[in-house]
Amino acid sequence: MKMIIVLKPNSTTEEIDHILERIQELGLKPHLSRGERRTIIGVIGDENKLQAQPLQAIPGVEQVLPILKPFKLAGREMHPADSVVTVGKVRIGGGSLAMIAGPCAVESAAVLDEIAGHVKAAGANILRGGAFKPRTSPYSFQGLGEEGLRILRDTGARHGMPVVTEVMDPRQVPLVERYADMFQIGARNMQNFDLLKEVGQVRKPVLLKRGMSATVKDLLMSAEYILSEGNLQVVLCERGVRSFEDSTRNMLDLSAVPNVKVQSHLPIIVDPSHATGRPDLIPAMARAAVAAGADGVHVEVHNCPEKALSDGPQALLPDQYTALMQDLRRLADVMGKSV
Ligand code: PEP
Ligand code: MN
């Protein structure tokens, strides 16, 4: 890692000597460059040492500028080629699309079996369903817990689909790991750093959803937490951010897709269900996501939305999902991608 320390225009020779000494004390290499008006010091060395130091607090220092982006593992600089994440036999990224579908929550074996049959026939390749639900109200359905995980795993196996499910707490990681093919970190937990570190310790793919108030940079920094623990299988998910617009549940930031692609090699998928909260808008936004270069689409589907225990109002009916998937397959063709 490199940094540039810009000195104040009136910094004294004593101050400069002191800064050089401090940098050497840290075992780092300073390179002094004196200009007519400005003096700068380049520093090369162990980035952990650099980041831990409040260098800007040293007298005479005006600004400390990192040369590399702060996400060195998630960034493209050190890893120019697109990453491909594998969930079961499904490849995500590098031209392969993840079509993740299923109910918001696992409700019962019978309901999940029916939904799974429909979405699989429509072309979905990963089954979703929450067993631990992050609900706004503590009185709302919280999920079936381990029983839900078991139903999800068995249903996925029966229909030949790997499964993804949310983990909300570091203490749940070993349990969820036993049943799921992919961890989902929900929007509300995108900056639960202990949880990120915990799934970083596991060698299983992670679907990391963007927080509703998180910037793209925040999202990439959260991915960095997982990567820096050694788990390189991270897929990002844009699911809408909070805005003043109140006719949709959130505001889908589709620009996050090409924006992430410029900065990072990680795959990114889009969840138009939580982004819009509206079945009448989901298909158009799903198509737009594929056109924008997303590596997949994540959609909530329910066979009887009026009876769903969570997020019923935003669920697509199985037939609507089938129609959407026909469009998405054609679009994938145009984009030179495969489902
Ligand atoms: C979900 O996928 O059911 C969910 C709760 O999503 P988010 O974390 O994006 O709100
Ligand atoms: Mn949901």
Side-chain angles (χ1 to χ4, degrees), residues 102-105 128 130 133-135 166 184 188 209 239 249 271 273-274 298 300 310-312 314:
C104 182
R128 66 146 282 141
K133 294 305 302 175
R135 305 305 301 278
E166 178 159 356
Q184 176 172 321
R188 289 155 195 80
K209 299 187 87 174
R239 46 78 73 207
R249 183 172 176 178
D271 169 359
S273 297
H274 293 89
H298 169 285
E300 286 186 351
S310 65
D311 283 349
Q314 74 190 28

Side-chain angles (χ1 to χ4, degrees), residues 29-223:
K29 261 193 169 165
H31 298 269
L32 183 67
S33 153
R34 271 180 201 276
E36 232 171 77
R37 297 208 187 154
R38 282 281 182 183
T39 298
I40 61 169
I41 301 174
V43 185
I44 299 180
D46 180 346
E47 102 177 78
N48 293 328
K49 278 190 196 160
L50 278 173
Q51 276 174 352
Q53 297 301 317
L55 297 173
Q56 52 276 55
I58 306 178
V61 172
E62 182 169 284
Q63 229 186 341
V64 181
L65 304 167
I67 294 181
L68 281 185
K69 296 259 166 49
F71 26 88
K72 64 167 181 157
L73 296 172
R76 272 215 194 263
E77 279 168 69
M78 308 295 260
H79 190 306
D82 283 343
S83 279
V84 177
V85 172
T86 307
V87 181
K89 288 181 190 150
V90 178
R91 287 161 59 83
I92 310 178
S96 301
L97 299 181
M99 291 302 173
I100 304 177
C104 182
V106 177
E107 300 172 2
S108 71
V111 170
L112 189 64
D113 190 62
E114 183 170 344
I115 297 169
H118 283 296
V119 299
K120 170 77 182 182
N125 50 20
I126 299 177
L127 181 65
R128 66 146 282 141
F132 297 101
K133 294 305 302 175
R135 305 305 301 278
T136 302
S137 165
Y139 309 118
S140 301
F141 176 59
Q142 303 285 306
L144 295 181
E146 184 168 4
E147 177 59 12
L149 294 174
R150 193 173 299 123
I151 293 172
L152 181 66
R153 178 194 62 190
D154 293 350
T155 311
R158 209 170 321 114
H159 293 273
M161 282 185 285
V163 297
V164 57
T165 196
E166 178 159 356
V167 58
M168 294 209 299
D169 186 298
R171 291 166 296 187
Q172 291 166 352
V173 170
L175 176 69
V176 174
E177 187 192 356
R178 259 183 268 139
Y179 292 95
D181 300 294
M182 183 182 216
F183 292 104
Q184 176 172 321
I185 304 285
R188 289 155 195 80
N189 269 315
M190 188 204 84
Q191 286 188 315
N192 181 338
F193 300 117
D194 285 338
L195 180 59
L196 299 177
K197 285 185 204 165
E198 203 65 30
V199 296
Q201 294 283 332
V202 181
R203 296 296 169 263
K204 236 178 206 178
V206 179
L207 180 62
L208 177 63
K209 299 187 87 174
R210 179 180 181 182
M212 53 265 275
S213 314
T215 63
V216 168
K217 186 174 170 199
D218 293 335
L219 174 63
L220 292 173
M221 288 312 301
S222 287

Side-chain angles (χ1 to χ4, degrees), residues 291-334:
D295 298 294
V297 176
H298 169 285
V299 177
E300 286 186 351
V301 178
H302 202 287
N303 58 330
C304 187
E306 68 179 56
K307 288 195 188 154
L309 297 178
S310 65
D311 283 349
Q314 74 190 28
L316 284 193
L317 288 162
D319 286 352
Q320 294 173 316
Y321 184 69
T322 303
L324 171 59
M325 279 301 295
Q326 283 168 359
D327 286 351
L328 295 186
R329 262 197 298 265
R330 285 185 5 234
L331 269 168
D333 237 19
V334 172

